[in-house]
Amino acid sequence: MLKPFVYSTRLDEGWMRLLRLKHSELDNQVHCTLSDYRIDGQLEYSALSYTWGPPKATDSSEAGLPSEEHYERHLSIDVNGSQLKVSSNLYDVLVRLQQSRADIFLWVDAVCINQEDFTERNAQVNAMSDIYGNSSEVIVWLGEEDPATKETIELIQDIALAAKARDSEGNLINQRRLGHWAFQNPETLVSIGLPPVNLNQWRNLVDFFKRRWFERLWVVQEIALPKQTMWKWIASAATLPIDENVVEPWATWNSGSARISQRREAIRVLCGSVVIPWEELLECSLFLEGSGIANGLLDLNSLRPDLQNETIVTASLNLLQTIRSVCHGKFVARHAAMGWSTSRDLAAWARAFNLTQDDYDPHALFCLLQFLLRSWRCTDPRDKIFALIGIVDRTSATVGCLKQHSLVADYSKPVQEVYRESTQTVLQSTQRLDLLLMAPDPPERRYHELPSWVKDYSVTGPIPLTLYGYEQDVVSHFDAAKGHKNANLSFEGEGRLLRIKGLSLGRISDVGETVDEWGETHSFEASATLAMKCDETYINGQSRLEALWRTIVTDQTRNDHPAPTKVGSLLFQYLRALFRHAIFLQLVTSAENAKEGEQIQTTLESSPNVDKLAKSDPSEQMPAMYGDLQSAVERMQEGLNFNEIIEIEDATYRKSVDAFYPYMNIPLRMRLFRTENSRLGMGPRSVSEGDEAWVFQGARVPFVLRPNLETGRYKLIGQAYVHGMMQGEAIDSHEPTWVDVEIE
């Protein structure tokens, strides 16, 4: 029985530990040595990228992070003749590596850092830029394979091959955007060079990209920091000596006997015994996202698409490649083989956060990373900050930035202090409110004791309204503060009170439904009632109905601002199909069709303002929301084949979605509101009567605040769109009276 392993000394600054894994083809027991080395780029070693918990999500943990028992170290490895406990996922990859390769030097965070020593842990996290940046390669471990893995990898390779197909003139063939359900159409698949793929194979592909590695926040810097590619002279044993005990990472890929120059990607992906080329994974990911197929794969059991486009199953790989480009000083990250941008246009995103190579601020980069990685997971909520420090450091060094940032890993501080300090630091440095655009709605916060202006990084938060037009070359045409780019903000009360200059747009008097509630309730009545309270002519001269639909879509599409006129008609046709489709799906599951028919009649009778709104506009853009729905139910009750009605409704719904999809730019969880001075807007889900809309210096879009009548201070609710006020109209209309606003 080996004695427990004990870290003998704390690592000095500029040092790291490396694991030397001893080759063994037969023994399942891991044998290795652990030694200290300088972080100076002189030693060749591999860095391991893996998940501490289970590699695959289970039904019980799908909604959140795995429970603590998944992280327990219950398996032992032999380190320097002593016993060290590790997790089962780490144990699995160490066994695989020692059986498949000669002795290698390996950096593994769980072993090479004394996780119980906060001082050492802080120093090593702050040195991640150098540790991963100096590695020879990164070995990505996705976990053990399952029965579907090999077939899924073959599909990935087929998709990657189709993605690179070119015509006789050398032009890429597959750059067109396909429909949501293209993956179910055999003719479409053949046309893009894919073999027949059944639904089970598509589901297996989705499950593959749901492995936890693809959503782990620390993975980002582990992939982003290493060198882009490696060049190495390889020699045969006959010409140059090779150490057979310690084989360099690229030597195992050399199949020739002559001395050659070999270029290798510095990332190697393993899933059990299967090796997956990083480039093939990336090609597949880019194609699925760029073609639109990924959207249809979001939920194979639902006909409703994800309008937010933020949970695409393959998007994580594209983001990794994008951030890799950032670390290497490339603010326009276009993928050479695909022609599409890696996860869309990075340069446009960077401009939205006022980040360019000529005007680089590390805190602005931090804001951009918070947007790109808002839904990635980590076990320790402080790592939402600390896991990005290495990326900021490497990028700053690459672009030659002399400006220092104040983001430092310190695990001795509580989560709330880390979040407040980082938010305050970013706001003070940038003098812009971009970070607050991603502040989560108060009910969705996890740390409610935080000041309302402090971003709760543990919650995903919304997409900034300045980035909803993300497919344009120029992002953020909004300029609500018109010319007042600097916030001129200050902090008081030991850093808990934010003071900023603002301009009131009015008190909120009415609220409607959120966009996603329309489909849940099958009703547009609250929004229609709210709109009917506005004058027939809106404050900017548009009709009431036009102002309404432009407010709902924030007057922009993926490519246009203002939104084309036809978007209004397409929106209302889509909503009409959505309501009808949802109601008929209810009927599918009901054995009491007559009773359901009575409920539908009640719905129709309780929605008088919907039809009033449609009839009030001469443009006839808005159809009757329910149309002949009642007569269809009556025909069904009279004996018409119910399945035929469902089939017709289903086809109509799909057609309306496909027509509206190119223009979909709707913030699903935002709620429609009206101010006392008849301005229409979209605000956070929790916006309510009595809240106020404000424009702040240093912000391109308005915000919703909730007044505290006793103190005269406010709580931040979140970003807002106010129609007719997004281009600085409040400032143009009269000499603005900026007042000091205190947010607690």
Side-chain angles (χ1 to χ4, degrees), residues 29 98 112 132 165 290 293 327 338 403 552 571 605 662 694:
Q29 175 62 43
Q98 79 169 7
C112 296
Y132 274 92
I293 290 179
C327 282
M338 294 300 296
K403 184 175 182 179
I552 292 171
L571 168 64
E605 293 174 352
W694 285 79

Side-chain angles (χ1 to χ4, degrees), residues 9 62 90 106 113 153 201 207 260 268 274 354 379 399 478-479 501 506-507 520 565 683 696 728 743:
T9 60
E62 186 74 45
L90 176 55
L106 196 63
I113 301 175
I153 300 305
Q201 290 172 309
D207 288 342
I260 60 172
R268 195 158 61 101
V274 183
N354 201 37
T379 310
V399 301
F478 298 141
D479 190 13
K501 293 189 178 298
R507 180 179 177 274
E520 296 169 2
T565 303
F696 293 132
I743 303 177

Side-chain angles (χ1 to χ4, degrees), residues 626-639:
Y626 303 99
D628 59 351
L629 178 62
Q630 182 59 36
S631 62
V633 174
E634 292 171 353
R635 291 196 305 274
M636 179 195 68
Q637 293 172 341
E638 291 170 359

Side-chain angles (χ1 to χ4, degrees), residues 2 125 299 347 462:
L2 298 177
V125 169
D299 187 352

Side-chain angles (χ1 to χ4, degrees), residues 289-546:
E289 186 183 1
S291 66
I293 290 179
N295 289 339
L297 295 176
L298 282 171
D299 187 352
L300 296 177
N301 297 318
S302 172
L303 293 176
R304 184 181 176 192
D306 178 3
L307 307 186
Q308 286 183 300
N309 281 324
E310 67 167 332
T311 53
I312 298 173
V313 292
T314 57
S316 55
L317 244 61
N318 304 336
L319 282 177
L320 287 175
Q321 193 71 1
T322 296
I323 295 171
R324 254 190 118 193
S325 297
V326 172
C327 282
H328 294 274
K330 299 176 183 178
F331 284 80
V332 180
R334 294 204 174 271
H335 191 265
M338 294 300 296
W340 285 313
S341 61
T342 55
S343 219
R344 302 188 179 91
D345 191 355
L346 173 62
W349 282 339
R351 287 194 300 273
F353 288 97
N354 201 37
L355 179 68
T356 65
Q357 285 170 296
D358 296 329
D359 184 19
Y360 173 84
D361 184 330
H363 299 99
L365 174 60
F366 177 80
C367 288
L368 173 61
L369 294 173
Q370 283 297 331
F371 159 65
L372 294 174
L373 303 171
R374 62 194 179 279
S375 60
W376 290 59
R377 295 181 177 183
C378 53
T379 310
D380 190 323
R382 292 168 293 191
D383 287 340
K384 282 286 188 173
I385 311 296
F386 300 159
L388 306 183
I389 293 175
I391 301 173
V392 175
D393 287 340
R394 172 52 57 89
T395 307
S396 298
T398 301
V399 301
C401 175
L402 299 179
K403 184 175 182 179
Q404 299 295 314
H405 67 78
S406 309
L407 304 170
V408 179
D410 187 347
Y411 287 97
S412 67
K413 293 182 178 180
V415 175
Q416 295 88 333
E417 185 176 350
V418 171
Y419 284 7
R420 186 191 60 78
E421 288 182 351
S422 64
T423 303
Q424 182 175 344
T425 294
V426 170
L427 293 180
Q428 283 181 322
S429 176
T430 63
Q431 284 296 310
R432 296 165 62 92
L433 303 186
D434 296 326
L435 188 62
L436 299 190
L437 299 178
M438 296 176 277
D441 204 0
E444 298 174 0
R445 284 174 168 253
R446 183 171 300 166
Y447 296 97
H448 296 283
E449 65 275 23
L450 286 171
S452 65
W453 56 268
V454 174
K455 176 172 167 52
D456 186 343
Y457 298 90
S458 67
V459 179
T460 298
I463 299 175
L465 287 171
T466 52
L467 288 169
Y468 264 94
Y470 45 67
E471 291 193 358
Q472 301 181 121
D473 286 335
V474 179
V475 172
S476 187
H477 24 259
F478 298 141
D479 190 13
K482 198 166 187 178
H484 297 272
K485 295 182 178 180
N486 290 327
N488 297 311
L489 53 83
S490 60
F491 295 91
E492 299 178 3
E494 297 182 347
R496 296 190 62 85
L497 187 68
L498 170 64
R499 183 189 295 271
I500 193 168
K501 293 189 178 298
L503 185 65
S504 175
L505 296 181
R507 180 179 177 274
I508 294 171
S509 57
D510 304 275
V511 295
E513 302 96 345
T514 62
V515 177
D516 56 355
E517 285 173 352
W518 292 338
E520 296 169 2
T521 64
H522 322 147
S523 175
F524 189 66
E525 180 64 14
S527 298
T529 302
L530 175 154
M532 288 297 291
K533 292 183 179 181
C534 296
D535 295 333
E536 290 187 12
T537 302
Y538 194 66
I539 56 176
N540 61 0
Q542 295 171 349
S543 70
R544 172 172 52 202
L545 187 64
E546 181 178 0

